[in-house]
């Protein structure tokens, strides 16, 4: 894996003229993990979306560096995996078809073995051919876990990752997070104390709210 770094420089975000947070700064490098905390509605998910490139900051800049060189924003998705409540998969496709569709967007290789292995890893073995619309909320969250690591991302971003998961699902989520720390970078937005133990660095978004 190439050396990778994320720099958050004086990030501010406003919606309809109302400030969400101001002047957020942090730096994260290989094998480091960051936990973003703060009360509900304080801006955790907004910052996650900015870090992932889903929305733009109102001020400031997020920089991805590979071997010291800035990575173009259009290439961020190649390095980043995301699990969040606002990621929507295709209800009319099966679990397997969802993963296969997104795998083919990134690779021309046959992803059958990779996809089946991930389905088994997240506890969905034998469920891959069922339509997503027939999945329970917990099964959908497990599929999102598989989706987030489908391309072996250098950076794994998790926004409230234990949502809708039972105890077995939470254990799977923890295993994925721990493996990510061994191979790349981990960012989690959560107020759960158990999830916070996965991280070494912390950022309370409320420190940047006026």
């Amino acid at each position: 894996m190439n050396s990778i770094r994320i720099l958050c420089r004086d990030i501010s975000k406003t919606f309809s003229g109302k400030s969400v947070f101001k002047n957020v700064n942090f730096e994260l490098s290989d094998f480091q993990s960051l936990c973003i905390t703060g009360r509900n509605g304080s801006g955790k998910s907004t910052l996650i979306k900015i870090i992932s490139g889903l929305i733009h900051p109102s001020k400031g800049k997020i920089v991805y560096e590979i071997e010291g060189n800035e990575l173009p924003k259009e290439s961020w998705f190649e390095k980043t995996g995301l699990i969040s409540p606002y990621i929507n998969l295709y209800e009319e496709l099966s679990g397997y078809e969802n993963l296969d569709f997104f795998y083919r967007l990134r690779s021309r290789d046959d992803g059958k073995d990779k996809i089946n292995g991930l389905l088994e890893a997240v506890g969905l073995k034998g469920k891959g051919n069922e339509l997503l619309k027939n999945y329970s909320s917990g099964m959908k969250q497990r599929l999102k876990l598989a989706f987030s690591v489908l391309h072996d991302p250098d950076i794994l971003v998790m926004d409230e990752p234990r949502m809708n998961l039972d105890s077995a699902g939470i254990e799977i989520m923890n295993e994925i997070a721990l493996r990510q720390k061994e191979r790349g970078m981990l960012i989690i937005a959560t107020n759960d104390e158990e999830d916070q133990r996965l991280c070494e660095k912390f950022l309370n978004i409320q420190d940047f709210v006026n």
Side-chain angles (χ1 to χ4, degrees), residues 20-72:
V20 181
F21 46 71
K22 290 183 177 180
N23 301 323
V24 176
N25 287 275
F26 70 83
E27 182 177 322
L28 210 58
S29 301
D30 298 328
F31 310 113
Q32 291 185 327
S33 54
L34 173 69
C35 182
I36 301 170
T37 63
R39 68 176 184 272
N40 292 341
S42 59
K44 297 191 302 296
S45 292
T46 299
L47 182 57
I48 286 290
K49 290 177 182 178
I50 292 173
I51 294 170
S52 303
L54 297 180
I55 62 174
H56 297 286
S58 301
K59 293 182 179 179
K61 186 178 182 181
I62 294 284
V63 177
Y64 280 37
E65 287 186 353
I66 305 293
E67 301 292 349
N69 299 309
E70 185 172 346
L71 185 70

Side-chain angles (χ1 to χ4, degrees), residues 48-173:
I48 286 290
K49 290 177 182 178
I50 292 173
I51 294 170
S52 303
L54 297 180
I55 62 174
H56 297 286
S58 301
K59 293 182 179 179
K61 186 178 182 181
I62 294 284
V63 177
Y64 280 37
E65 287 186 353
I66 305 293
E67 301 292 349
N69 299 309
E70 185 172 346
L71 185 70
K73 188 173 182 180
E74 58 267 23
S75 298
W76 289 10
F77 80 99
E78 298 173 1
K79 301 295 181 181
T80 305
L82 174 65
I83 177 171
S84 72
Y86 38 84
I87 291 294
N88 293 316
L89 302 179
Y90 293 102
E91 293 281 330
E92 299 304 319
L93 297 180
S94 69
Y96 181 96
E97 288 170 336
N98 266 281
L99 296 183
D100 183 61
F101 173 78
F102 289 107
Y103 187 88
R104 290 177 185 275
L105 287 179
R106 297 177 182 273
S107 175
R108 295 181 180 179
D109 298 333
D110 182 1
K112 182 178 180 180
D113 291 342
K114 177 68 175 293
I115 293 168
N116 285 329
L118 280 173
L119 287 170
E120 182 173 359
V122 299
L124 292 177
K125 183 178 181 179
K127 303 293 183 180
N129 291 327
E130 294 184 18
L131 295 180
L132 187 66
K133 65 182 180 181
N134 295 327
Y135 276 26
S136 67
S137 58
M139 290 170 65
K140 289 179 180 178
Q141 187 72 352
R142 289 179 184 230
L143 191 69
K144 287 183 180 182
L145 281 170
F147 165 76
S148 72
V149 295
L150 184 60
H151 59 299
D152 299 315
D154 296 298
I155 305 161
L156 179 58
V157 183
M158 308 177 102
D159 189 359
E160 304 294 350
R162 64 172 55 210
M163 181 177 291
N164 298 320
L165 291 176
D166 57 14
S167 58
I170 291 170
E171 184 175 344
I172 291 168
M173 182 272 292

Side-chain angles (χ1 to χ4, degrees), residues 10-21:
D10 296 320
I11 293 294
S12 300
K13 186 63 180 178
T14 60
F15 287 113
S16 302
K18 183 178 180 181
S19 174
V20 181
F21 46 71

